[in-house]
Amino acid sequence: MTDKASTAHRELWGHPIGLYVLFLTEMWERFSYYGMRAILVIYMIATATDPNGPGLGWSDEEALMLYGWYVMLVYLLSIPGGILADRLWGQRKTVMIGAITLVAGHGTLAIEETWAFFTGLGLIILGVGMLKPNISTMVGGLYREGDIRRDKGFSIFYIGINLGSLLATTFVGLIVAEYGWHAGFGMAGIGMLLGLVVYLRGQKYLTHVGNAPEKVVDPNEVTFGDLFRDLLKSPLHLGITLVLIAISISMGFILTGIDKWGYVALFTFLSLVVGMLMMIYKDLSDQIQKDRFIVILITFALVIVFWGAFEQAGGLMSIYTEQKTDRVLFGWTIPTPMFQGLNAGFITIFAVIVANFWARRKLKSKEASSIFKMAMGTIIMGLGFVWMVLAAAEYDANDSSSMIWLVLAYFFHTIGELSLSPVSLSFVTKLAPLKYASLMMGLYFAATGLGGKVAGIVGESASDFGEYAVFSGITIFTVVFALLIIAVLKPLKRLTHGAEEAEREMSEEAAETLDV
Ligand code: GLN
């Protein structure tokens, strides 16, 4: 082994040193992402007389509209970000360019100008799209195929994500209260700069992962481009897609509001996705694959519902915390952003406990299939909104509501997240035929992003219906939806044709690892 190669493979505490480089890079990236998310909406609605300084003075509705688009685009851009790395630059370089773009984006937000606000958001969307999916791929690349430490590596990495979020929501909140909004945005930028420095300095431990283009594109693998070409050749499916696109465009003339053309673009995109999904279904050769595909679509629906409710954290719940919650503790007013840190804090405490709970159930041969876990996660998260309903009721009665409701809500949201999030993507990849694996990963990110947009829309409706109705609606919808899935669990499992069981037998040991 050459000197360079042996440095790259050096280990510390039982894992490649590269893992710690990626851990710290992602920790600072999430620091900047969640630090900014924690103040984004309350900055947009802050008026000229706000104690933290003047914000944009927008209505709640306008702020949540932009929030929805922003979260959606952040996740949607992971698709081109992943493709860019696979085909052109490799993950290592794409992450680096993403990190530089993020430093520029957060830095731009620190400038007190409206143009800077939009430019900054645009750069952050591009930067996260390049960094987030690819850094995770690199973590996987640090371990050889079949290395049982890989799942543990991802668990450590997940702790980095939440540590970043926890630090950010704490410090950015304090900085904003002391020095104003733009200092908070700047702080997020400094965090990302530290991430970039760690990443650049740690390059010597990463020379063997994410090289361009490490993943030799499998000639059998189907891409978005292939599907699009097939769609053009199939008159029936093309016809249906064109009708959907025509309906989408006509919405532009019917809808009102400043974001109507945004919706036209979104529905046109979704029409194309429907067309592509039809082409995949048509292409699948046997019934087993077709059945599994149906389960994937149901999983996507669950993912959209889950994040559509969960992402209220940075949206309506953030506004609620700022405007309607009594945040005074022992005479000190807790800054609003800090409440979003509860999610990360609870994850750090409960990740292992929840993973152990599901592992024990599986050992006792009780129900612990991925679909069941995801549905239960959605129910638990949905029940978290019961506390928000109580908060809204208290506010309606007393003009103020206790912060304990938020603590309870975030606790339930976290337990729900820990049941759904770690299994959903891997479940989709287990069910997808190999040649569609990358594509399904892209669509999974799209579903998460769509959830973000749904969160914005649902939050916006509070301006018409009030928080009490909206939080109640979220509870009822999420719980009923997930209960319906549990009601058809048996037939759904039949449709998977033993995909999980087969996988479990193949890697009993890996399945037992506490994967969070
Ligand atoms: N909190 C996790 C992260 O930031 C998961 C977020 C998500 O998948 N929507 O990586």
Side-chain angles (χ1 to χ4, degrees):
M1 220 184 254
T2 62
D3 259 8
K4 239 174 139 181
S6 70
T7 307
H9 287 94
R10 280 233 302 268
E11 297 199 347
L12 180 70
W13 303 317
H15 285 273
I17 295 186
L19 176 68
Y20 306 106
V21 175
L22 298 179
F23 173 100
L24 288 173
T25 310
E26 177 64 344
M27 185 187 92
W28 286 116
E29 187 271 331
R30 291 286 96 183
F31 176 96
S32 66
Y33 179 79
Y34 283 111
M36 195 288 249
R37 172 188 183 256
I39 56 175
L40 179 62
V41 164
I42 50 173
Y43 165 70
M44 288 191 270
I45 61 170
T47 57
T49 54
D50 192 273
N52 297 326
L56 296 178
W58 292 4
S59 68
D60 293 3
E61 228 173 325
E62 287 166 330
L64 290 171
M65 179 194 90
L66 189 84
Y67 173 74
W69 288 119
Y70 168 73
V71 177
M72 184 187 92
L73 288 173
V74 158
Y75 285 100
L76 222 52
L77 266 277
S78 304
I79 304 175
I83 296 176
L84 205 60
D86 280 353
R87 301 287 156 95
L88 207 60
W89 290 336
Q91 280 85 21
R92 191 148 44 87
K93 191 167 161 196
T94 314
V95 167
M96 189 181 304
I97 297 173
I100 295 169
T101 312
L102 280 169
V103 174
H106 288 289
T108 310
L109 280 187
I111 304 171
E112 294 187 38
E113 297 282 347
T114 314
W115 68 263
F117 179 69
F118 289 107
T119 312
L121 287 186
L123 288 170
I124 292 170
I125 290 168
L126 289 174
V128 177
M130 284 190 268
L131 189 145
K132 181 89 165 117
N134 296 317
I135 198 165
S136 309
T137 312
M138 285 176 75
V139 173
L142 288 171
Y143 303 89
R144 286 214 184 84
E145 195 111 350
D147 188 333
I148 52 161
R149 294 174 308 164
R150 183 196 300 246
D151 283 352
K152 213 38 189 271
F154 272 105
S155 304
I156 295 173
F157 185 69
Y158 205 70
I159 293 172
I161 288 177
N162 289 291
L163 207 58
S165 165
L166 185 60
L167 285 174
T169 42
T170 309
F171 286 107
V172 172
L174 293 174
I175 292 282
V176 167
E178 195 68 31
Y179 303 104
W181 302 109
H182 293 277
F185 289 129
M187 178 92 183
I190 292 172
M192 192 59 240
L193 188 63
L194 288 174
L196 178 63
V197 171
V198 171
Y199 188 66
L200 292 176
R201 293 196 58 107
Q203 284 297 300
K204 57 178 178 289
Y205 301 110
L206 299 168
T207 48
H208 58 308
V209 280
N211 287 308
E214 176 160 284
K215 190 179 148 200
V216 183
V217 180
D218 178 349
N220 291 323
E221 191 169 288
V222 182
T223 62
F224 282 107
D226 297 334
L227 279 181
F228 188 64
R229 269 190 298 278
D230 288 349
L231 184 61
L232 293 180
K233 285 186 225 141
S234 172
L236 172 69
H237 301 95
L238 183 64
I240 299 174
T241 311
L242 287 177
V243 170
L244 289 174
I245 291 179
I247 296 172
S248 306
I249 294 177
S250 67
M251 301 266 287
F253 300 97
I254 300 165
L255 284 173
T256 50
I258 48 168
D259 57 346
K260 67 174 181 171
W261 291 106
Y263 280 111
V264 171
L266 174 61
F267 288 128
T268 306
F269 168 75
L270 290 177
S271 305
L272 278 171
V273 170
V274 170
M276 289 177 181
L277 291 175
M278 289 190 300
M279 295 315 293
I280 298 177
Y281 191 77
K282 183 179 159 214
D283 174 58
L284 294 173
S285 49
D286 56 48
Q287 199 54 39
I288 295 184
Q289 291 190 347
K290 284 187 194 282
D291 288 349
R292 286 180 177 170
F293 187 66
I294 302 290
V295 182
I296 294 181
L297 294 184
I298 293 170
T299 308
F300 284 162
L302 203 53
V303 166
I304 296 171
V305 169
F306 183 89
W307 294 109
F310 183 95
E311 285 289 342
Q312 297 301 332
L316 186 60
M317 283 173 73
S318 179
I319 294 183
Y320 190 88
T321 313
E322 175 77 359
Q323 295 175 340
K324 300 191 171 166
T325 305
D326 174 12
R327 290 177 281 118
V328 181
L329 188 69
F330 306 124
W332 178 58
T333 306
I334 303 175
T336 297
M338 276 195 182
F339 286 88
Q340 286 181 50
L342 286 168
N343 173 233
F346 282 138
I347 286 200
T348 338
I349 303 170
F350 291 101
V352 177
I353 298 174
V354 174
N356 276 336
F357 170 80
W358 287 115
R360 260 202 309 276
R361 261 186 91 89
K362 196 162 66 189
L363 283 179
K364 285 190 204 152
S365 296
K366 288 202 180 127
E367 181 58 66
S369 61
S370 294
I371 314 176
F372 184 70
K373 281 192 217 172
M374 291 188 293
M376 282 309 291
T378 306
I379 291 176
I380 297 168
M381 185 273 310
L383 288 176
F385 280 97
V386 170
W387 308 113
M388 294 311 296
V389 173
L390 294 177
E394 189 189 352
Y395 183 82
D396 289 342
N398 303 337
D399 262 2
S400 165
S401 73
S402 161
M403 63 179 113
I404 192 75
W405 305 123
L406 285 166
V407 178
L408 288 166
Y410 281 120
F411 171 70
F412 275 61
H413 288 186
T414 305
I415 303 298
E417 178 186 351
L418 287 170
S419 297
L420 176 134
S421 187
V423 294
S424 50
L425 178 59
S426 81
F427 183 57
V428 168
T429 50
K430 270 177 222 167
L431 290 173
L434 213 54
K435 64 177 184 170
Y436 287 112
S438 295
L439 217 124
M440 287 300 162
M441 182 112 101
L443 289 176
Y444 176 85
F445 278 119
T448 309
L450 212 54
K453 182 62 197 148
V454 169
I457 297 171
V458 172
E460 279 174 58
S461 70
S463 302
D464 291 328
F465 305 116
E467 280 93 350
Y468 185 87
V470 171
F471 290 139
S472 308
I474 297 176
T475 311
I476 296 167
F477 186 83
T478 47
V479 172
V480 170
F481 187 83
L483 281 176
L484 285 176
I485 300 238
I486 292 183
V488 292
L489 193 65
K490 274 218 174 101
L492 275 182
K493 280 177 78 177
R494 226 173 296 130
L495 287 181
T496 66
H497 294 275
E500 283 205 276
E501 287 72 12
E503 195 261 0
R504 200 173 296 162
E505 272 160 30
M506 265 161 52
S507 61
E508 193 79 320
E509 194 165 5
E512 237 69 279
T513 312
L514 302 181
D515 169 19
V516 287

